[in-house]
C-alpha cells in the first residue's frame, strides 16, 4: 500500500514541478526583459535630451522630456483606475449566492438560519454518506487497517465541525506537501 501512495504522490507532483520550473524560467526572462526595457528607455531619454538641447536650451530639453513622461504617467494611471465597461446582454442579471441558495418552497423560509447552516446532525449525516462508499470499497479490498483509519478520520471530522475541519485539512496539506516535497526517502 505504501508503494501505491509513493507512486500516487510522484504522479501528482511531477506535473507541478514541471509547471513550477517553466514558471520560474518565464519569470526570470520577463525580469531580464524589463531590465533591458528600462536600460533602453534611459539611453533613449539621454539621446532625446541631447538632441533637444542641441536644437534649443537645456531647460527646454529637460522640461519637454519631463512633460512627455508626465503625459504617459497620467495615461497609464487613467487606464489602471478606470472601471470596466458593463456589457449589456439579453441575459437576466446574475443572481447573488444568497438568492440561489433560497429554497423554492416558501414554507421552508420560516427558518432561514437552519437552511443557511447545517446542524451538527446534518453535518454528521453528510460525512457518513460520503464515507460509507469509501469504507465499503476498502473492506471489499481487504484493507481493514485503512478502513479503520477512515472511520477514525470520520469520527474526528464529526467532532471538529466544518470550519475546524477545513483548517485542519489545510494544515495537514501543508505538512504532507512539505513531507512529500523533501528529498528524504519515505518508508
Amino acid at each position: 500500500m505504501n508503494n501505491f501512495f509513493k507512486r500516487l504522490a510522484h504522479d501528482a507532483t511531477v506535473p507541478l514541478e514541471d509547471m513550477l520550473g517553466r514558471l520560474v524560467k518565464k519569470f526570470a526572462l520577463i525580469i531580464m526583459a524589463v531590465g533591458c526595457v528600462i536600460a533602453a528607455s534611459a539611453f533613449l531619454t539621454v539621446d532625446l535630451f541631447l538632441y533637444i538641447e542641441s536644437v534649443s536650451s537645456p531647460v527646454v530639453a529637460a522640461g519637454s522630456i519631463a512633460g512627455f513622461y508626465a503625459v504617459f504617467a497620467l495615461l497609464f494611471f487613467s487606464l489602471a483606475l478606470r472601471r470596466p465597461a458593463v456589457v449589456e446582454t439579453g441575459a437576466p442579471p446574475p443572481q447573488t449566492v444568497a438568492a440561489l441558495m433560497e429554497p423554492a418552497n416558501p414554507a421552508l423560509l420560516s427558518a432561514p438560519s437552519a437552511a443557511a447552516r447545517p446542524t451538527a446532525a446534518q453535518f454528521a449525516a453528510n460525512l457518513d454518506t460520503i464515507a460509507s462508499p469509501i469504507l465499503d470499497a476498502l473492506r471489499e479490498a481487504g484493507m481493514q487497517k485503512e478502513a479503520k483509519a477512515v472511520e477514525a478520520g470520520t469520527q474526528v471530522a464529526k467532532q471538529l465541525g466544518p470550519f475546524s475541519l477545513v483548517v485542519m485539512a489545510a494544515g495537514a496539506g501543508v505538512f504532507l506537501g512539505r513531507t512529500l516535497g523533501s528529498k528524504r526517502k519515505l518508508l
Side-chain angles (χ1 to χ4, degrees), residues 66-91:
F68 176 75
Y69 280 119
V71 166
F72 274 105
L74 290 174
L75 176 71
F76 293 144
F77 275 128
S78 66
L79 289 174
L81 297 177
R82 73 179 176 135
R83 295 179 188 211
V86 177
V87 178
E88 292 291 329
T89 61

Side-chain angles (χ1 to χ4, degrees), residues 20-35:
L20 184 63
R22 287 192 309 267
L23 185 65
V24 167
K25 287 177 187 175
K26 281 185 181 180
F27 183 71
L29 291 173
I30 288 172
I31 292 295
M32 291 187 324
V34 167

Side-chain angles (χ1 to χ4, degrees), residues 40-52 65 69:
S41 174
F43 283 110
L44 286 173
T45 301
V46 169
D47 188 39
L48 181 63
F49 177 81
L50 292 175
Y51 174 74
I52 295 174
I65 292 174
Y69 280 119

